Amino acid sequence: MSEPDLPWGPGTATGVGSYPGVDPEETLRIVLGELSELPHLPELPDRGPGADMIGRTAGLLVDLAVRVEPSGWRFSDRPGRDTRRALDHLARDLDVLEELAGGHDGPFKIQVTGPWTLASGIELRHGDRTLKDPGAVRDLIASLAEGVAGHVADVRRRLPRARILLQLDEPALPAVLAGGVPTASGFSRLPAVEEPIAEDGLRQVIDAVGDAAFPIVHCCARRVPYGLLRSAGAAAISVDLKMVPERDDDALGEAIDAGVGLLLGVVPGTDTALPSLEATAAPVRELWRRLGFPAPRLARQVVVTPACGLAGATPRYVRAALARCRDTALMLYEAAE
């Protein structure tokens, strides 16, 4: 059993990425206050195109421009207002980050869309999804790898004392592997991508960043390919615990045994009446019991998160959800002592 080498301390909680609203300063203050052990850069899709998951990361692409069409994001011949809008939103967020957290000296997480979800979400110039064209996918991955490496370097300059964690969001990856991504028309499905190809694409992005950031892959869908993510270089995997069936226990146990960190989504992402603290922690404990790992290792290796992004929640619920994640992580730590 490998001793985990992880950048966070025991009993840690964090967020996934998105929040409601349009004010990056107010949202970051909430994140820094509620998740002080492992804060992260909020994403605010309510601001419109360029602040959404696909558009925000598309703005990082090097030598590839995008624009918004009625069907969604599409590659274009040259950068236009939509690309500029994405870059403006990110620049504003990073300025706020430097102002409010420039002295942060612990782990800090940023999020970008992974290559396969990006290839599933951006159309080629003639309208088909990028995923349909292997050559276009290769160009996209190379561009993304370069852009993400530059983004990480920029964040490191703004947070010189922090340990940066890079989360690649890949909710579409299971569908990519299973041949479940619809064509642009929606009448059929694109062919499945072979696992070695998918693994190599992820690895290129992770390798481009190297030691500059601790790599996490987030997938809140079913059929998370744990072995593929580990082989691609993910040092931690982020999942929605409700999407983890018992048949995944072996793959999940192998990842934990290898020292991979686990970010477990246990708090609903939209407004609801939260159960007791004990009930929130129960699924985590049950998973750990099934897998047979010692209790102290849970608090060290597991980070508690919301089930997914919180963009669809109300501001009041956001505070309650983040506080519940923090309190659950602390309770799990204290129970293991």
Side-chain angles (χ1 to χ4, degrees), residues 124-183:
L124 300 167
R125 290 174 178 83
H126 55 74
D128 288 323
R129 294 185 188 272
T130 301
L131 189 65
K132 183 178 181 179
D133 184 337
V137 171
R138 287 193 293 270
D139 291 343
L140 171 62
I141 290 171
S143 175
L144 178 64
E146 183 177 352
V148 170
H151 178 48
V152 169
D154 189 10
V155 174
R156 283 171 59 89
R157 285 192 294 270
R158 294 169 183 266
L159 303 181
R161 301 172 60 195
R163 172 79 186 277
I164 304 302
L165 284 64
L166 172 67
Q167 175 180 301
L168 297 175
D169 290 321
E170 282 286 15
L173 181 57
V176 169
L177 295 171
V181 176
T183 59

Side-chain angles (χ1 to χ4, degrees), residues 163-298:
R163 172 79 186 277
I164 304 302
L165 284 64
L166 172 67
Q167 175 180 301
L168 297 175
D169 290 321
E170 282 286 15
L173 181 57
V176 169
L177 295 171
V181 176
T183 59
S185 68
F187 293 123
S188 59
R189 296 289 184 268
L190 296 174
V193 173
E194 295 179 0
E195 287 202 8
I197 295 174
E199 178 187 316
D200 182 66
L202 268 173
R203 185 187 300 110
Q204 287 184 52
V205 179
I206 291 172
D207 286 352
V209 175
D211 294 335
F214 178 89
I216 303 167
V217 178
H218 169 70
C219 183
C220 54
R222 299 188 185 276
R223 305 188 307 277
V224 176
Y226 297 99
L228 184 155
L229 300 183
R230 287 175 53 205
S231 297
I237 298 172
S238 172
V239 297
D240 177 353
L241 186 51
K242 283 189 176 180
M243 297 290 189
V244 180
E246 289 193 25
R247 66 173 179 269
D248 285 355
D249 280 4
D250 287 346
L252 195 53
E254 290 173 3
I256 294 169
D257 194 44
V260 173
L262 193 61
L263 283 68
L264 291 181
V266 298
V267 175
T270 53
D271 289 42
T272 188
L274 293 174
S276 68
L277 189 59
E278 183 64 36
T280 303
V284 182
R285 287 176 164 155
E286 169 58 21
L287 173 67
W288 216 252
R289 184 197 62 76
R290 291 201 319 261
L291 296 177
F293 290 101
R297 187 156 177 169
L298 186 161

